[in-house]
Amino acid sequence: MKNFVVKTLANAGALGVAIWLLQDITLTGDSTGKKALTLILVALVFGLVNFLVKPIVKLLTLPLFILTLGLITLVVNALMLLLTSWLAEQFDLSFHVEGFWTAVLGGLIISVVSWALNVLLPDGD
């Protein structure tokens, strides 16, 4: 359970950095508390998308992973971020990613920051 909380917080932090750096990734809310809650909920959705959908997409695109020497990972991460944005809209969360190239850059930022936070934060193992 502690590992789940740490990963969710790392995802929230990584999403927060991407929102802060890229103007086309937006998170709106009336107050700071509401924005923080929305960010945590979006991080949960993002974690579920990465847990459930990403392995299937990686398996289906395995030949492209081999052919591009793993660079297709950037595209897969962008698609997962766009799917998270779409799901957030369906759940009436005020998170939006505008465009594919923004999603590619956002996915790259989120990957690097999430990795760094997972290294720094303790896990439950």
Side-chain angles (χ1 to χ4, degrees):
M1 182 66 171
K2 185 177 178 184
N3 194 23
F4 173 74
V5 172
V6 168
K7 287 192 181 295
T8 301
L9 290 175
N11 278 339
L15 284 164
V17 170
I19 291 165
W20 179 60
L21 289 175
L22 301 173
Q23 68 182 17
D24 288 336
I25 299 178
T26 57
L27 178 78
T28 56
D30 299 335
S31 65
T32 304
K34 194 161 193 149
K35 284 183 182 179
L37 178 62
T38 302
L39 185 61
I40 295 295
L41 292 174
V42 170
L44 286 170
V45 170
F46 186 67
L48 282 172
V49 165
N50 281 329
F51 180 73
L52 297 174
V53 179
K54 193 173 184 177
I56 297 167
V57 172
K58 281 180 130 178
L59 181 64
L60 292 174
T61 59
L62 184 61
L64 288 174
F65 275 94
I66 294 167
L67 185 65
T68 64
L69 301 174
L71 288 176
I72 195 72
T73 304
L74 294 172
V75 174
V76 170
N77 287 343
L79 293 175
M80 295 304 107
L81 189 57
L82 287 171
L83 179 59
T84 300
S85 175
W86 180 79
L87 286 171
E89 183 179 313
Q90 301 307 308
F91 291 124
D92 201 28
L93 298 172
S94 56
F95 174 77
H96 183 70
V97 177
E98 184 68 38
F100 175 75
W101 292 109
T102 301
V104 169
L105 188 54
L108 182 62
I109 291 168
I110 290 168
S111 295
V112 170
V113 173
S114 181
W115 171 80
L117 289 175
N118 278 314
V119 166
L120 294 175
L121 294 172
D123 59 359
D125 297 340

